[in-house]
């Protein structure tokens, strides 16, 4: 006895070509991630970084104050 032919469930068709978003979404998301990462890292903060800590302080090249070489305690003789 011969087997009956398989039942037809559906017809195979060629899938539709992907839309522009489906084909390029990985590139768009990569670019968005790079731009957001650059912004979050502060690459474009510039001079505002220095203004957050108050006014500029004097350099270390200023002349130090003169202190006596000995204190009063050392000069007293008992």
């Amino acid at each position: 006895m011969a087997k009956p032919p398989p039942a037809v469930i559906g017809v195979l068709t060629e899938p539709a070509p992907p839309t522009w978003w489906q084909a390029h979404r990985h590139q768009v998301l990569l670019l968005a991630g790079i731009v957001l990462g650059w912004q979050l890292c502060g690459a474009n903060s510039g001079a505002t970084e220095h203004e957050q800590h108050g006014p500029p302080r004097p350099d270390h090249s200023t002349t130090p104050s003169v202190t006596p070489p000995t204190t009063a305690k050392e000069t007293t003789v008992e």
Side-chain angles (χ1 to χ4, degrees), residues 2-78:
K3 287 183 174 179
V8 176
I9 296 175
V11 179
L12 294 177
T13 59
E14 188 175 332
T19 62
W20 183 90
W21 173 249
Q22 289 173 339
H24 298 95
R25 66 181 168 206
H26 62 284
Q27 295 170 344
V28 171
L29 294 176
L30 174 67
L31 182 64
I34 289 173
V35 169
L36 287 175
W38 180 66
Q39 290 288 328
L40 289 175
C41 286
N44 63 348
S45 62
T48 59
E49 227 175 77
H50 303 290
E51 295 170 1
Q52 293 176 357
H53 303 292
R57 297 184 178 162
D59 294 333
H60 292 285
S61 62
T62 59
T63 308
S65 62
V66 179
T67 57
T70 57
T71 60
K73 196 176 202 181
E74 294 173 348
T75 59
T76 16
V77 180
E78 291 182 29

